Amino acid sequence: MPGESIYVTLKEDLAPTEGSTLKPERFLEYRVQTDANLPKPFYPVTIIDQIQNGDNNFADMEMIDFDGDGDLDIAVVINDFLETTNAQIELLENDGSQNFTSLTVFSTSYSSINELKAADINGDGTFEFVATSANNNAVILYDYDASSNTFTEQLISNQLREPRSVYLIDMDADGDVDILTAFSFDNTVAWFEIQEA
């Protein structure tokens, strides 16, 4: 739709224009054209974030208002494809005018993360993140504390192999968010029900 924004990660090198400082990994925003006379349907608007370490790459992202100020922020997963360092989660704060600032970078305990989703899972009014790590056979919960800008990491499951996609939804209509995960090696879809405290 005209005016909508699409966020993508470019995985391959581009030929730099004169004076360009673009690196191999670029996280760009593309906006739908509203002028039918323009030759291309999309055009790059803003470089939101950029990885300076050539061994790292953006693996996934989630858009959520994690600081509760009424605009969409971005959480991105950064993996080291050499796996010499663990995966990281970076929070990019939106100032309301689509200017993004890196708020925190959290180093996880896992070598890579495949997918990241966010929802208020424990009902405390803040967002938690759920991630899958196929390399580590792990489904992980990250409880974000906005007041201290920190994460608490909790393993949900490592019993099934190669979890990849994850979906957060109230499966049983009991008022809380459950976790649905697909495991590629075991050809299994598993439902993790949130238990009341």
Side-chain angles (χ1 to χ4, degrees):
M1 296 294 293
E4 288 185 344
S5 295
I6 300 172
Y7 300 89
V8 299
T9 302
L10 302 181
K11 295 292 186 181
E12 299 177 356
D13 292 341
L14 295 179
T17 57
E18 184 177 354
S20 171
T21 59
L22 292 178
K23 297 289 192 282
E25 291 289 341
R26 286 167 293 276
F27 186 35
L28 303 181
E29 175 187 1
Y30 281 74
R31 189 166 294 162
V32 177
Q33 294 279 24
T34 57
D35 186 347
N37 296 322
L38 293 174
K40 296 181 179 180
F42 300 97
Y43 65 100
V45 178
T46 306
I47 295 178
I48 296 175
D49 195 16
Q50 189 173 33
I51 294 177
Q52 301 301 322
N53 184 346
D55 293 338
N56 290 349
N57 62 81
F58 289 117
D60 195 27
M61 66 178 180
E62 173 76 313
M63 297 193 67
I64 200 79
D65 182 13
F66 59 72
D67 54 3
D69 61 356
D71 51 44
L72 286 175
D73 308 299
I74 305 174
V76 294
V77 173
I78 303 171
N79 286 340
D80 176 0
F81 69 85
L82 297 178
E83 296 189 2
T84 57
T85 60
N86 286 342
Q88 299 174 317
I89 300 173
E90 180 181 18
L91 299 185
L92 301 170
E93 184 179 20
N94 186 352
D95 67 358
S97 299
Q98 287 66 60
N99 299 310
F100 293 87
T101 302
S102 179
L103 190 62
T104 187
V105 178
F106 172 75
S107 293
T108 73
S109 300
Y110 299 90
S111 60
S112 65
I113 287 176
N114 296 84
E115 191 163 71
L116 184 74
K117 293 291 175 61
D120 182 6
I121 293 176
N122 58 14
D124 65 352
T126 63
F127 288 101
E128 288 74 50
F129 296 90
V130 176
T132 57
S133 176
N135 284 355
N136 301 107
N137 298 324
V139 182
I140 316 111
L141 174 71
Y142 295 97
D143 190 355
Y144 176 64
D145 184 348
S147 63
S148 61
N149 199 30
T150 57
F151 284 97
T152 300
E153 185 178 74
Q154 176 184 343
L155 178 66
I156 296 172
S157 174
N158 59 0
Q159 298 175 345
L160 298 170
R161 291 170 291 181
E162 294 190 8
R164 296 190 182 274
S165 62
V166 61
Y167 197 71
L168 306 180
I169 190 170
D170 185 1
M171 287 285 293
D172 50 0
D174 63 350
D176 55 35
V177 178
D178 303 305
I179 301 168
L180 195 66
T181 307
F183 296 82
S184 61
F185 189 92
D186 288 323
N187 297 323
T188 299
V189 175
W191 167 25
F192 299 96
E193 183 178 3
I194 300 299
Q195 300 295 318
E196 296 293 338

